[in-house]
Amino acid sequence: MEVLPYAFSVCRVSDETKVDWTQPFCFAAKTDREFSLVCLTEHVPEETLEREDGWRTFRVAGTLEFSLIGILSRISGVLAEAGVGIFAVSTYQTDYILIKENQLEKGLDALRKAGYMID
């Protein structure tokens, strides 16, 4: 796994046209109830309905094929056992796990003890 050197935010926005889609790390989800955005803290749109800063992120290195089962489940299980909450985002190629900044080292230590390699 690879720890990314950026601060992330999770927010709800009312107008997706205010999102700068040219920036890296824009994860969005739109449902019948909300439009959620995960992005670098420095690129959060000015107008948000709610926002939570202070997230750090790591990603599963390499491309994960759809036939692979349980990767995110195992990682989240290790972190849950350590008392570390997560916010997960999956893309076509891999998974991203967000952990609050104040729990990052605790989470990474738990993952290392479980045998995960972390860069």
Side-chain angles (χ1 to χ4, degrees):
M1 288 186 267
E2 174 188 9
V3 179
L4 301 178
Y6 312 110
F8 282 80
S9 296
V10 179
C11 54
R12 287 182 54 228
V13 296
S14 59
D15 184 358
E16 62 251 34
T17 65
K18 303 291 184 188
V19 176
D20 183 354
W21 297 108
T22 65
Q23 298 301 324
F25 303 108
C26 286
F27 303 102
K30 184 175 183 179
T31 70
D32 61 334
R33 296 186 177 177
E34 68 176 301
F35 180 81
S36 294
L37 176 70
V38 177
C39 64
L40 298 178
T41 299
E42 63 195 73
H43 297 135
V44 172
E46 286 186 30
E47 297 176 25
T48 61
L49 300 171
E50 293 180 81
R51 125 184 222 174
E52 186 161 332
D53 298 331
W55 294 91
R56 290 291 307 276
T57 303
F58 61 91
R59 68 176 150 213
V60 178
T63 301
L64 302 177
E65 296 186 26
F66 289 114
S67 62
L68 297 174
I69 298 170
I71 293 172
L72 185 57
S73 174
R74 287 190 295 277
I75 292 169
S76 64
V78 168
L79 294 171
E81 282 289 319
V84 176
I86 68 166
F87 188 100
V89 177
S90 294
T91 65
Y92 192 89
Q93 292 187 331
T94 195
D95 295 319
Y96 292 79
I97 295 93
L98 287 80
I99 298 176
K100 291 298 282 190
E101 175 77 42
N102 63 355
Q103 291 196 308
L104 181 66
E105 287 308 315
K106 181 179 178 182
L108 294 176
D109 287 344
L111 290 167
R112 286 185 187 104
K113 287 178 184 172
Y116 288 93
M117 295 179 59
I118 304 189
D119 291 330

